[in-house]
Amino acid sequence: MIPYARQHINEADIDAVIEVLNADYLTQGPKVPEFEQALAAYCRVPHAVACNSATSALHLACLALGLGPGDILWTSPITFVASANCGRYCGAEVDFVDIDPRSYNLDVAALEEKLRLAERRGRLPKVVVAVHFAGQSCDMRAIAGLARRYGFRVIEDASHALGGTYRGEPVGCCRYADIAVFSFHPVKMITSGEGGMAVSRDPELLRRMRRLRGHGITRDAAEMSEPPPGDWYYQQLELGYNYRMSDIHAALGLSQLRRLPQFVQMRTRLARRYREQLSDLPLILPWQAEWQSSAWHLYVVQVSDEAGIDRKTLFAALRQRGIGVQVHYIPVHTQPYYQRLGFRPGQFPRAEAYYRRALTLPLYPGINPELQDRVIEQLRELLA
Ligand SMILES: *Cc1c(COP(=O)(O)O)cnc(C)c1O
């Protein structure tokens, strides 16, 4: 089976991990801050907070922004459940904004309309999580404009978009957001095994996320309620978590980060090949806004209604032929957990219509032209 995504590990990656295994620290050593600094430099922000997953980083981001019971978080229904769950962890209410039918990102016009209504009802969100679906940035300038007008904070869920750009700057530079979050799960742009990172320009948000990552503990005398009696001393100031990344994971992530430009280039080339060779088929190919360059985490097509075969049938046939297609994503509000919270199918019709036709084709740095040609051939046969 050709998978839809796969990590790309080379000798340098392996050596980086072995080096840590032979060193003094498996965790809380030098590799985590090194990885944090390298990613912050890549994103052109002052600092970063590495975590054991992007889900943890999203949770910390929500906490740092003060999200809690009685507050509301909005995100897109076409995302991984973690983009919404982070609000629920904090006891906040979650709601969704329907997608733009071209980019499949949260629709800015729908967001504006929903904000207008919410203001009238006194139900404005405290946080909006903008998900850069498939690696294509949301229109962050427009979202930041609405954030100023309606007083909400912005988290970029950039789990798909490391290596992408928005208006000439790297995704994650936080010009238009309070915090951006990346994932290093093996299917994502780079991997640390498991792992995630939050980046920000705001030193206070970074400080809060770092403290909550480590049990709410401080070793900084300036933050303590009394002068420390000795070097052993620390204080727990609030209820935090153990969301730390290990040095083993950080070493892999750091080595992979050096390879990121090459990964993006390979993915971009593969996406171009798909576009060239699939454009005559009854498929809706990914649309790209001109003010961004995608990281191409996913290559998602929609099966047109005139294809003569529906997505479900095409999916099964491709899987049977060894093509590991996937579907991203089941609209979050249709999940049983969110249904129990009161959401109903039909609430976000564009997301649901997209979901019925969506199909993710294999795309990852290690797929060679011959394997990609097999995917293309099978698609041509089935859609002929
Ligand atoms: C993968 C992913 C996450 C969660 O990442 P983990 O590192 O697995 O916790 C969150 N949001 C989106 C959009 C993702 O694709």
Side-chain angles (χ1 to χ4, degrees):
M1 183 84 79
I2 302 172
Y4 85 88
R6 197 191 140 79
Q7 71 276 14
H8 196 284
I9 301 293
N10 71 6
E11 284 303 317
D13 296 329
I14 293 168
D15 290 345
V17 172
I18 291 172
E19 194 188 310
V20 173
L21 291 173
N22 285 314
D24 291 333
Y25 298 99
L26 299 186
T27 193
Q28 296 177 281
K31 286 297 166 189
V32 169
E34 239 183 272
F35 185 26
E36 287 175 333
Q37 275 148 28
L39 192 100
Y42 183 89
C43 294
R44 303 183 201 158
V45 290
H47 234 293
V49 179
C51 297
N52 55 4
S53 72
T55 304
S56 304
L58 285 166
H59 184 192
L60 294 183
C62 288
L63 290 170
L65 292 171
L67 191 75
D71 294 328
I72 304 169
L73 174 147
W74 289 0
T75 190
S76 165
I78 297 300
T79 184
F80 185 56
V81 292
S83 315
N85 290 348
C86 56
R88 298 295 302 149
Y89 295 153
C90 301
E93 223 177 280
V94 166
D95 201 355
F96 302 92
V97 179
D98 211 348
I99 60 167
D100 174 319
R102 290 193 300 180
S103 68
Y104 317 140
N105 279 330
L106 170 156
D107 181 54
V108 174
L111 174 63
E112 189 165 6
E113 179 61 28
K114 197 175 171 99
L115 286 165
R116 244 199 315 270
L117 285 171
E119 188 177 42
R120 235 179 287 151
R121 296 185 186 137
R123 305 266 303 144
L124 282 169
K126 184 165 199 166
V127 171
V128 170
V129 178
V131 184
H132 303 320
F133 181 75
Q136 167 160 233
S137 177
C138 295
D139 189 354
M140 293 311 299
R141 197 154 78 185
I143 292 170
L146 292 171
R148 271 195 302 278
R149 202 156 102 215
Y150 291 95
F152 60 85
R153 312 295 293 269
V154 180
I155 299 173
E156 291 179 71
D157 184 343
S159 293
H160 296 186
L162 180 61
T165 66
Y166 175 71
R167 297 191 190 275
E169 289 181 296
V171 167
C173 79
C174 294
R175 180 175 301 285
Y176 301 106
D178 296 286
I179 297 168
V181 167
F182 298 104
S183 172
F184 312 126
H185 180 280
V187 298
K188 306 291 165 72
M189 296 300 297
I190 65 169
T191 189
S192 62
E194 293 275 7
M197 193 104 68
V199 294
S200 178
R201 293 184 175 198
D202 183 335
E204 181 56 23
L205 291 176
L206 288 160
R207 192 184 63 85
R208 272 188 234 158
M209 288 193 286
R210 195 166 297 122
R211 196 160 85 191
L212 287 162
R213 173 182 64 179
H215 307 276
I217 282 173
T218 185
R219 290 174 187 280
D220 178 357
E223 291 183 339
M224 293 182 188
S225 61
E226 57 184 16
D231 279 350
W232 70 85
Y233 197 67
Y234 58 83
Q235 280 190 341
Q236 185 196 343
L237 300 176
E238 59 189 328
L239 187 63
Y241 303 83
N242 180 355
Y243 282 169
R244 288 191 310 259
M245 177 183 277
S246 82
D247 273 47
I248 304 171
H249 294 83
L252 178 55
L254 186 60
S255 173
Q256 287 257 302
L257 183 58
R258 296 193 186 105
R259 306 176 58 207
L260 176 62
Q262 189 200 349
F263 288 163
V264 175
Q265 199 180 52
M266 288 159 103
R267 286 175 177 277
T268 305
R269 207 175 296 141
L270 290 160
R272 197 179 308 129
R273 271 189 102 235
Y274 271 141
R275 166 155 294 281
E276 284 162 6
Q277 306 209 26
L278 300 176
S279 59
D280 59 322
L281 295 180
L283 296 171
I284 300 162
L285 302 180
W287 173 86
Q288 294 295 297
E290 79 285 356
W291 33 254
Q292 59 86 44
S293 66
S294 181
W296 289 109
H297 163 53
L298 298 173
Y299 196 89
V300 177
V301 299
Q302 287 191 86
V303 184
S304 303
D305 292 337
E306 61 268 24
I309 182 170
D310 62 17
R311 191 279 311 275
K312 187 179 164 188
T313 314
L314 183 62
F315 180 95
L318 285 164
R319 279 282 181 99
Q320 195 159 31
R321 293 163 181 231
I323 313 296
V325 285
Q326 192 46 278
V327 173
H328 296 93
Y329 288 95
I330 305 160
V332 177
H333 69 283
T334 67
Q335 294 291 352
Y337 171 76
Y338 283 94
Q339 296 276 296
R340 281 205 298 281
L341 294 176
F343 291 99
R344 290 290 167 258
Q347 273 185 296
F348 303 99
R350 290 205 295 266
E352 293 166 38
Y354 156 85
Y355 168 60
R356 281 192 288 278
R357 300 181 181 88
L359 190 69
T360 304
L361 306 183
L363 179 77
Y364 51 92
I367 193 171
N368 55 37
E370 294 76 59
L371 283 181
Q372 193 186 19
D373 284 344
R374 245 166 66 197
V375 178
I376 294 163
E377 272 162 37
Q378 296 299 333
L379 268 170
R380 300 199 75 86
E381 246 182 72
L382 288 161
L383 291 168

